[in-house]
Amino acid sequence: MSKNAAGARTGNEQTLALYQELRSTTGESLDDAANRLDLTQAERDRCHEELVALGLIDGTKDGTRGEAGCETSAAAPAVVAPDVALLRLLQHERERLESRLAETNRAHTTLETLAGPFLRAGMEPGSEVEVEIVEDPARIGRELADLTNTVRTSVHSMHTGSVRREEMSLELARDRDRVTRGVLVQAMYSHRVGQVPEMVQHLAERTALGVEVRLSAVVPMNMVLADENFALLPTDPHDPDSAVILARGPGLVRSYRALYDYCWHAATPYGHEEPAEPGGDGLSEQQRAALRMLASGIKDEQVARNLGVSLRTVSRLISEVMQELDAASRFEAGVKAARLGLLDGEPYEHTT
């Protein structure tokens, strides 16, 4: 093959070609296969990283034992079948999500444990913590406005939803005042907020003023912290209109700050998030169910029985899913579905 022909391939095509070469020649080194395709060193390194990331070849550098007990090395990478790699990838994504949700649940439990005694007993003698429940929206607004004048070092906030349009200019004015005085301002939002056109502009304006903005897949509640001495958060994290907890004193606020820092480090800086892959919004519940069952390794016949449809209907559903996800194969559809979060529901069990 000429170098011009090899160079005409896109990056994905080069990766696929290298994978097919490795599968067709048992025991051949990656360098030999790459040389036959006339890949440059940079291209073969990129293809190798993509294949390792997809789980299609073993990523170890020195000799290790493969699944079948065979010796593998960097010279002869262990090639993994696509269906096996897909199942591993989906399992890894599921475990990652379950771990993240478990961490969030533990953080909620910790907050309830810490805040409970103070909310029940009020301020104890000699305690450095003061907690009260505030139901008046006007009072909440005054407390937030007062922060602009009283905060000295930092303000940290997280938001589960978008900012109201009428509040955007006020928030920018507060940002400008705080940043000018050298106050560190950090704000965290849900990924879906970054897809709202008005919020995209608002976040860009906040960032331009010097506010550090991050987006996260999981934002547990609305929260405002200041100077490790002030905290404002809802009594019900699932109801943004519920009464709020107003806490003062480092003894309790440090605990809220620990939760915030955990979420902050797991979030992505605004403007550096990976571009979302297209597709998935138009899938019906039946198509999503079929996709999850196939990703769990269930055969078409069992999918048909579970859905109460014919094999021909299952084939049609999968074709529609592949078209919606712009995927050329079931394997590619599974990978895209995992990246889009379409497989985050309860997994289907194998049945006979």
Side-chain angles (χ1 to χ4, degrees), residues 46-61:
R46 178 186 52 75
C47 291
H48 176 265
E49 291 178 1
E50 285 191 21
L51 291 174
V52 171
L54 291 173
L56 293 173
I57 65 172
D58 184 10
T60 56
K61 293 297 184 182

Side-chain angles (χ1 to χ4, degrees), residues 102-123:
E103 288 289 342
T104 301
N105 288 335
R106 284 194 290 271
H108 280 165
T109 301
T110 300
L111 288 178
E112 291 172 355
T113 301
L114 289 171
F118 295 106
L119 295 177
R120 289 192 299 270
M123 186 175 178

Side-chain angles (χ1 to χ4, degrees), residues 18-162:
L18 180 58
Y19 176 64
Q20 291 173 334
E21 286 288 331
L22 292 171
R23 289 200 75 188
S24 63
T25 53
T26 304
E28 183 179 43
S29 71
L30 186 141
D31 285 341
D32 289 341
N35 287 336
R36 194 159 50 253
L37 296 173
D38 289 327
L39 299 181
T40 66
Q41 185 63 49
E43 289 171 339
R44 72 184 62 182
D45 289 344
R46 178 186 52 75
C47 291
H48 176 265
E49 291 178 1
E50 285 191 21
L51 291 174
V52 171
L54 291 173
L56 293 173
I57 65 172
D58 184 10
T60 56
K61 293 297 184 182
D62 50 1
T64 59
R65 288 279 174 185
E67 283 192 2
C70 300
E71 187 75 5
T72 63
S73 67
V79 181
V80 181
D83 54 346
V84 175
L86 174 59
L87 290 176
R88 290 177 179 174
L89 177 62
L90 297 182
Q91 179 64 25
H92 172 73
E93 290 295 323
R94 184 178 293 119
E95 291 174 352
R96 182 181 64 81
L97 178 63
E98 290 174 350
S99 174
R100 198 160 183 179
L101 290 176
E103 288 289 342
T104 301
N105 288 335
R106 284 194 290 271
H108 280 165
T109 301
T110 300
L111 288 178
E112 291 172 355
T113 301
L114 289 171
F118 295 106
L119 295 177
R120 289 192 299 270
M123 186 175 178
E124 300 175 0
S127 171
E128 59 176 351
V129 174
E130 179 183 357
V131 177
E132 62 177 309
I133 303 296
V134 180
E135 298 181 353
D136 180 13
R139 165 77 187 286
I140 297 172
R142 288 195 300 271
E143 291 290 346
L144 291 175
D146 289 344
L147 276 183
T148 300
N149 299 322
T150 60
V151 66
R152 298 186 304 276
T153 59
S154 63
V155 176
H156 310 271
S157 61
M158 61 169 64
H159 311 269
T160 58
S162 300

Side-chain angles (χ1 to χ4, degrees), residues 2 9 44 59 74 84 95 101-102 124 137 139 143-144 176 178 186 192-193 214 240 243 257 261-262 280 325 337 345:
S2 69
R9 286 196 179 104
R44 72 184 62 182
V84 175
E95 291 174 352
L101 290 176
E124 300 175 0
R139 165 77 187 286
E143 291 290 346
L144 291 175
R176 190 176 293 105
R178 293 166 181 172
Q186 293 182 335
R192 65 178 181 273
V193 170
R214 292 194 178 188
R257 177 64 186 278
D261 287 345
Y262 170 79
L325 298 179

Side-chain angles (χ1 to χ4, degrees), residues 11 54 56 76 82 133 148 151 168 173 177 187 190 192 200 204 223 227 243 246 250 258 263 335-336 347:
L54 291 173
L56 293 173
I133 303 296
T148 300
V151 66
M168 289 183 176
D177 179 88
S190 168
R192 65 178 181 273
V200 170
M223 179 187 295
D227 291 340
L246 175 59
C263 295
V335 172
K336 286 191 172 183

